[in-house]
Every structure is written in C-alpha cells, then in structure tokens.
Amino acid sequence: MNVSSDLQHRQFTSDNISGIVPEAMNALIQANSGHALPYGSDPWVAELNREIQRVFDTQCSTFPVFNGTGANALALAAISRSHHSVMAHQSAHIAVDEVNAPGLMGGGLRIETIAGENGLISPSALRHRIGQARGIHSSKPGVLSLTQANELGLCYRPEQIAELSAIAREHDMAVHMDGARFANAVAALGVTPADITWQAGVDVLVLGGTKLGLPFGELVIFFNEALARDFEWKRKQAGQLASKMRFLAAPWLGVLKEDCWLHYAAQCNAKAQEIAVRAAAIPDIQLAVPQQTNAVFLQLNDAQQTAMFERGWILINLTEESGVRILCSWDITQRDIDAFISDLEQL
C-alpha cells in the first residue's frame, strides 16, 4: 500500500512533523538484526549510556522512554514528593500542554507558574514566587523546572542557569530541565552540553530527540544519580519501559556519533535565521520575538494568515502576543524557504 502526505508544502508548523534523519534510520535498520535481550539488557542501551557520558563529560544515569510528556512527568516525580510544587514559567510545556501529567505521576505534585519576559524566568521572579508559599498550607517548593530552549525559541545562558540553580539550592529544591529542543540551544549558544546542564546545577535533563529527527524516544538523564533511585520501577509502573529497548536506543546512537545531532540543530537554527531576516525585511511584517534557535515568531493579522492558509501553509498562533510560530525541521530545504517567503511577500 502506498501512502503519501496530502500536504501541499513541507510545513513550518512544527519540528516534529518531519521524517527521520538518515543517521537515525540507518542505525534503527542495523539494530533490526537478530535477537537481543529485552528491557534494556541489550548492547545498544549499554552503548547509549557510555555515549551520553561522553557527550556530557560526566558520570550519569540514562533511561530511554517513549515520549516527552512521560519523560518530564517521571523525571519530576522522581526528584520530588507528593507535597511539593514545581516552579516553572507560565508558558512551560509541563504547565500548559501535559494535562498535569507530573501531578498524576507525582501523586499530587503541583505546578506553580512564574511570569517572565520572552518565556524566561528571572532570579527576582523566582525568589518572589518561592516567597509566596504559605508554609504547611501550600505545596512546598521542591523543584525548579527550566525549558531549554524555551517555548519561544530562546535560551538560558550558562550563567543564568547557574544563578537560578543557586537560588533553588538555597531552598533545598532540585533542578529539572525540559530539553525537548536542547540540541538547538547548545548549537545557538555555542556551548558544550555540560555547560548548560550539570556544570550549571541541573540535576536531571529530559533530552528530546523527536523534534530533531528521531522516530521516537526521549532520554531521562540523571546527573545527580542519587535522585535516580528506583527510577527503573517508576518507569515500568508508568508504562514507559520498552521491551525492545534497542529500538529506542539505536536511533540515538546514530545521531550522537560524530555530533551529527548538533550539526542538524545548527542547520535548523540557520534556516530559521534566514527566514527571520527575510521576513522582517517585508513591509508590514514584524518579528514578535527575537530569533535565536529554530523558531521564528511573526506578527500576521487574520487576513494575512488566511491568505497564507489559502496558499497551502498551516500556521499556528502559540499565544496572542507571540504571533504565528514558524519552526524549521531538519529536512526543510532552500526551496521550501523561498516558497514561504515568496508567499509572504505577496501578502
């Protein structure tokens, strides 16, 4: 049976609607040979653990899971208790897009949101929000969650993460990082993965690969390995333990080798930068948010959005303030960019 997309264009709607990067697909195919022990007792998972330690230049514990929501919920449940709250930006995925999965997995864990310009938490805002806790009458601040890169495609610099982590430590809070687009942040900042994780105070990272071109599978990485106690049981209980785990691990091995995951991330960022520069040069079109990673946010009115839809483009408004979100996936071509910009110019 032949099945093909009915979309007129490659879309900029999201970076998780693309296909699989060749390196991940090749690794997946190579893993599909012979038999292997189940539930993570295979050579691919063992090699993935070693490869992650190489990438982050530290001892850590890595657990593959199926998806990002499960990864975030399990990670947060592992580093907190049911009477705790998680401090996160008000636009964070865990706050607005995960149906309080952390609360379910955490037995009552609560998400407390913090306002902040361009989706970033400031030290003063974090201190203020922690100070609003009402002792035993409210959930105890237990975790700080940072999104890197955030929902608006912007990044925390290493020193910003370190300052926020230090505040969390003052209040005996753990630090979680939602890294659905972590690779894009590393490429945009020109830093090492270690610079913006454990070296800056992060205890656990959810490393996303789906948006980068993997078929499935996210990683929960504990830099503070004491917090990973019994995580294997939590993962099983939550239905996130894969029996044929080699197929979750193999695609990661394909993209981590020779740092091609960062190459793809930099490539996506560069495409977004071109779109941002060319779109901003068009009269009556403005950037709603500065472009830093693979995301571009454009201010388009209803008539402009309708006209683009009629030309075959599917556009999403993340929020009223942020405007229309444009996301570049790994397989976007120069032809795609030219077609999109050409239609924008015709508005």
Side-chain angles (χ1 to χ4, degrees):
M1 180 176 65
N2 292 324
V3 179
S4 61
S5 172
D6 60 354
L7 297 176
Q8 181 177 342
H9 308 283
R10 282 191 180 91
Q11 295 293 326
F12 296 92
T13 309
S14 178
D15 45 3
N16 61 10
I17 63 174
S18 64
I20 305 171
V21 297
E23 292 83 356
M25 179 62 83
N26 291 337
L28 187 61
I29 292 172
Q30 290 174 14
N32 190 34
S33 176
H35 288 192
L37 292 175
Y39 302 113
S41 298
D42 59 84
W44 290 267
V45 171
E47 185 177 354
L48 177 59
N49 288 329
R50 293 190 293 269
E51 190 66 10
I52 288 295
Q53 291 179 12
R54 178 195 68 80
V55 168
F56 287 89
D57 193 26
T58 191
Q59 174 70 32
C60 54
S61 298
T62 301
F63 300 88
V65 296
F66 289 112
N67 54 51
T69 295
N72 277 329
L74 281 172
L76 290 168
I79 63 177
S80 62
R81 300 183 66 180
S82 61
H83 60 276
H84 282 158
S85 64
V86 178
M87 300 291 178
H89 192 274
Q90 62 186 10
S91 65
H93 204 269
I94 63 169
V96 298
D97 284 305
E98 296 186 354
V99 204
N100 197 27
L104 175 65
M105 299 295 182
L109 186 67
R110 180 181 176 87
I111 305 295
E112 301 280 3
T113 61
I114 305 173
E117 185 178 2
N118 288 335
L120 299 171
I121 298 174
S122 69
S124 59
L126 176 59
R127 288 188 184 278
H128 176 73
R129 192 69 184 84
I130 293 173
Q132 289 182 314
R134 298 176 55 247
I136 61 171
H137 301 289
S138 62
S139 298
K140 181 181 179 181
V143 180
L144 168 65
S145 179
L146 303 173
T147 307
Q148 181 79 318
N150 72 12
E151 282 69 23
L152 297 181
L154 302 179
C155 306
Y156 291 95
R157 299 188 306 275
E159 62 272 20
Q160 291 175 306
I161 299 171
E163 184 175 6
L164 292 168
S165 296
I167 296 172
R169 293 286 182 269
E170 292 174 14
H171 298 274
D172 197 26
M173 298 168 64
V175 180
H176 159 266
M177 179 169 283
D178 181 348
R181 296 182 176 92
F182 181 81
N184 299 96
V186 173
L189 293 171
V191 297
T192 69
D195 289 334
I196 52 175
T197 52
W198 64 273
Q199 289 185 348
V202 174
D203 293 300
V204 58
L205 166 70
V206 171
L207 181 58
T210 308
K211 293 177 173 58
L212 193 62
L214 268 65
F216 36 66
E218 314 289 296
L219 303 179
V220 181
I221 304 172
F222 287 90
F223 302 110
N224 183 344
E225 293 185 284
L227 296 176
R229 179 181 177 183
D230 292 344
F231 190 80
E232 296 96 329
W233 282 266
K234 292 180 182 292
R235 179 175 58 175
K236 174 67 173 180
Q237 189 179 57
Q240 288 282 333
L241 177 65
S243 57
K244 297 183 179 181
M245 200 180 294
R246 58 173 158 160
F247 298 119
L248 293 184
W252 275 106
L253 292 173
V255 298
L256 290 174
K257 293 296 177 65
E258 300 180 1
D259 291 337
C260 78
W261 65 303
L262 297 179
H263 167 76
Y264 279 118
Q267 181 176 290
C268 294
N269 293 353
K271 292 173 181 177
Q273 184 180 40
E274 179 180 349
I275 291 175
V277 171
R278 293 176 64 179
I282 301 173
D284 298 327
I285 294 182
Q286 297 178 336
L287 297 183
V289 179
Q291 179 274 330
Q292 190 173 13
T293 55
N294 67 322
V296 181
F297 289 84
L298 302 177
Q299 291 288 9
L300 301 181
N301 59 39
D302 291 343
Q304 291 171 325
Q305 292 183 51
T306 299
M308 290 296 285
F309 180 77
E310 291 172 348
R311 288 167 169 80
W313 301 104
I314 301 173
L315 303 177
I316 292 177
N317 286 287
L318 194 62
T319 68
E320 185 175 342
E321 296 78 17
S322 66
V324 172
R325 184 182 71 174
I326 308 299
L327 282 173
C328 291
S329 56
W330 70 272
D331 60 351
I332 292 296
T333 66
Q334 188 63 49
R335 182 176 179 179
D336 299 324
I337 295 173
D338 291 343
F340 183 78
I341 293 297
S342 176
D343 283 345
L344 277 181
E345 290 173 338
Q346 294 178 36
L347 298 182

